Each structure stands twice: as structure tokens, then as C-alpha cells.
């Protein structure tokens, strides 16, 4: 059940990227440049997340949950060195890490 919540959250994040790419960009503090930039937001923050979430929901495979969870885990863990290396915004980066790590844990619960 927890893994399904993770897949739904992943799908929701993907829908945001597909349907409202400028809002998604603002959420993560990036600014798309021109049509290509907006297309990149739709593809990465939209299509990639949407495909991961929907795939988990449809096939209900432990392997799908493992791959999706590992992807979110990687993103969440890399926030920490980025705080130092990139002098990232501490409170916002921690919020991003918390969200990514939560989704990772939820998804990985379906891998067992």
C-alpha cells in the first residue's frame, strides 16, 4: 500500500511537469529558456516522473518499484553534497531532499 502512495506521488509530480511546466520549474527554482527549455521541463519533470509512477501502478512489479525508488533515492541523497558544492539554498534543498527521500522510501517498500 505504501508503494502505491509513492507511485501516485511520482505520477502527480509528473503530471505537474507535463501540464504546468512553468509552475514545475518555479517549484524547483529553475527558469526554462524558450521553447526548448519548457520542452525539457515537460520531458524530465513531466514525462520521466509520469512514466515511472504509471509503470509502477500498472505492472505492480517489485523490480519497477526498485528502479523508481532507487532513482528518487539518488536524487534525494545528492542534495546533501550539493548543499556544499553548489552553495544551495539550505531550507529549500532540505525540503526537496525530504520529499525525494520520502517518495523513495515509499516506492522501495514495494520492492521487498
Amino acid at each position: 500500500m505504501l508503494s502505491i502512495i509513492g507511485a501516485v506521488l511520482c505520477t502527480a509530480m509528473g503530471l505537474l511537469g507535463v501540464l504546468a511546466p512553468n509552475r514545475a520549474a518555479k517549484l524547483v527554482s529553475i527558469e526554462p529558456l524558450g521553447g526548448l527549455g519548457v520542452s525539457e521541463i515537460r520531458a524530465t519533470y513531466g514525462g520521466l516522473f509520469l512514466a515511472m509512477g504509471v509503470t509502477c501502478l500498472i505492472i505492480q512489479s517489485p523490480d519497477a518499484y526498485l528502479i523508481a525508488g532507487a532513482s528518487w533515492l539518488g536524487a534525494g541523497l545528492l542534495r546533501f553534497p550539493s548543499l556544499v558544492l553548489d552553495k544551495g539554498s539550505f531550507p529549500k534543498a532540505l525540503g526537496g531532499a525530504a520529499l525525494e527521500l520520502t517518495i523513495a522510501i515509499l516506492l522501495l517498500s514495494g520492492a521487498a
Side-chain angles (χ1 to χ4, degrees), residues 1 15 19 23-24 34 38 53 78 81 90-91 97 108:
M1 177 62 178
L15 285 172
L19 300 174
R23 284 185 79 187
V38 174
L78 254 344
F90 194 73
L108 289 171

Side-chain angles (χ1 to χ4, degrees), residues 77-89 93:
L77 291 177
L78 254 344
R79 294 266 182 197
F80 297 104
S82 178
L83 284 169
V84 176
L85 297 171
D86 306 323
K87 297 177 179 48
S89 170

Side-chain angles (χ1 to χ4, degrees), residues 24-31 89 92:
K26 187 174 181 173
L27 182 68
V28 296
S29 299
I30 60 175
E31 188 172 329
S89 170
K92 191 163 187 175

Side-chain angles (χ1 to χ4, degrees), residues 1-10 65-66 68-69 72 98-112:
M1 177 62 178
L2 292 176
S3 59
I4 292 173
I5 294 169
V8 168
L9 289 171
C10 186
Y65 282 110
L66 176 63
W72 282 95
L99 176 65
E100 290 159 348
L101 293 173
T102 298
I103 293 173
I105 290 166
L106 291 169
L107 289 167
L108 289 171
S109 74

